[in-house]
Amino acid sequence: MAKTTSSTIDEDSLLTSHEVGLLLQVDPSSVNKWVKAARLRAYRTPGGHLRIRAGDLLTFLRQHNMMVPKDLSKVGMRRLLVVDDSEFELRSIERLLKPYAHRVELLLVSRGIDALVQFGFFNPHAVLLDVIMPGLDGIEVCRRLKALEATRSVPVVITSAHLTVEMEHQALAAGAAQCVDKPIGIARLLAILQIDEQESSILTAQTIV
């Protein structure tokens, strides 16, 4: 069987014992022993074959302080698209999330049109969108994202340093999940990305080069 590559593995990918062995450079029998000892979570197909979810494998490796293969390094990563015409705001969010670089992948853009262009390439789990920007403002960008079936399921969070009731009503009507005042704290950012702050702070994975 060909070696599984990072481009084909996501959090919910199901791997065989052989594939896990190739990734970790161990004998598949060791993988089966971990499963039998209930150290590594696994599932059985109707035919009785073991399948291991990539996300569960990553959790197992981190819990046991084992090296994370390069092909698994981005499994479980949360992608955040941040759109703001203020360089200061973009860099502030970048600094806040730097300690969580093992869990969060950032794309920072300064124009609404760039957000629409880059969205399909980046495929974010959430969008943090400033309201007042030159050209397309945040409300219009949100409206366009929600108009397309391929992008409407991704939560959009509208931000502003001067959030008003009217602005909030417009954002929610455009499909925003919520509106948040600036400055945004790390706890709110992690909540938007659905990352457990306590768990993430202790899971510092190493990567095999």
Side-chain angles (χ1 to χ4, degrees), residues 160-176:
S160 177
H162 307 286
L163 197 61
T164 65
V165 173
E166 181 182 358
M167 196 181 291
E168 189 168 357
H169 285 165
Q170 290 178 345
L172 295 176

Side-chain angles (χ1 to χ4, degrees), residues 138-147 152 156 158 164-179:
I139 303 295
E140 181 58 27
V141 173
C142 180
R143 188 177 291 115
R144 294 192 185 191
L145 288 174
K146 296 302 175 179
R152 67 169 56 118
V156 174
I158 294 291
T164 65
V165 173
E166 181 182 358
M167 196 181 291
E168 189 168 357
H169 285 165
Q170 290 178 345
L172 295 176
Q178 58 180 298
C179 298

Side-chain angles (χ1 to χ4, degrees), residues 84-207:
D84 201 307
D85 63 325
S86 167
E87 183 71 14
F88 174 80
E89 293 291 343
L90 292 176
R91 297 308 159 196
S92 294
I93 291 174
E94 185 177 40
R95 284 193 298 272
L96 281 174
L97 288 172
K98 188 174 182 179
Y100 302 89
H102 61 291
R103 293 297 311 275
V104 181
E105 187 174 356
L106 276 177
L107 177 61
L108 309 174
V109 299
S110 59
R111 300 190 306 164
I113 188 65
D114 292 332
L116 295 174
V117 171
Q118 294 296 326
F119 189 100
F121 296 103
F122 188 58
N123 192 25
H125 292 96
V127 180
L128 200 61
L129 190 56
D130 185 32
V131 174
I132 303 173
M133 295 184 293
L136 292 179
D137 64 21
I139 303 295
E140 181 58 27
V141 173
C142 180
R143 188 177 291 115
R144 294 192 185 191
L145 288 174
K146 296 302 175 179
L148 299 175
E149 185 176 355
T151 58
R152 67 169 56 118
S153 63
V154 177
V156 174
V157 177
I158 294 291
T159 68
S160 177
H162 307 286
L163 197 61
T164 65
V165 173
E166 181 182 358
M167 196 181 291
E168 189 168 357
H169 285 165
Q170 290 178 345
L172 295 176
Q178 58 180 298
C179 298
V180 178
D181 286 305
K182 294 179 181 178
I184 304 172
I186 185 61
R188 179 60 68 91
L189 285 172
L190 294 178
I192 290 169
L193 288 165
Q194 299 181 337
I195 293 175
D196 184 276
E197 185 173 5
Q198 184 176 4
E199 175 190 358
S200 192
S201 65
I202 61 175
L203 295 181
T204 52
Q206 294 176 293
T207 301

Side-chain angles (χ1 to χ4, degrees), residues 2-69:
K3 183 177 179 180
T4 307
T5 63
S6 58
S7 61
T8 62
I9 298 178
D10 60 30
E11 194 169 8
D12 293 318
S13 293
L14 295 178
L15 308 172
T16 66
S17 298
H18 180 69
E19 288 171 328
V20 172
L22 286 174
L23 284 169
L24 304 185
Q25 300 176 23
V26 300
D27 193 277
S29 63
S30 296
V31 179
N32 292 331
K33 288 178 182 177
W34 296 335
V35 172
K36 188 175 182 180
R39 297 173 63 195
L40 174 59
R41 188 176 183 181
Y43 306 87
R44 287 199 179 274
T45 67
H49 302 291
L50 285 178
R51 292 294 183 268
I52 298 156
R53 183 173 165 272
D56 292 332
L57 175 59
L58 187 62
T59 298
F60 165 80
L61 295 175
R62 287 172 168 167
Q63 286 177 341
H64 293 85
N65 296 317
M66 298 171 70
M67 299 288 277
V68 176

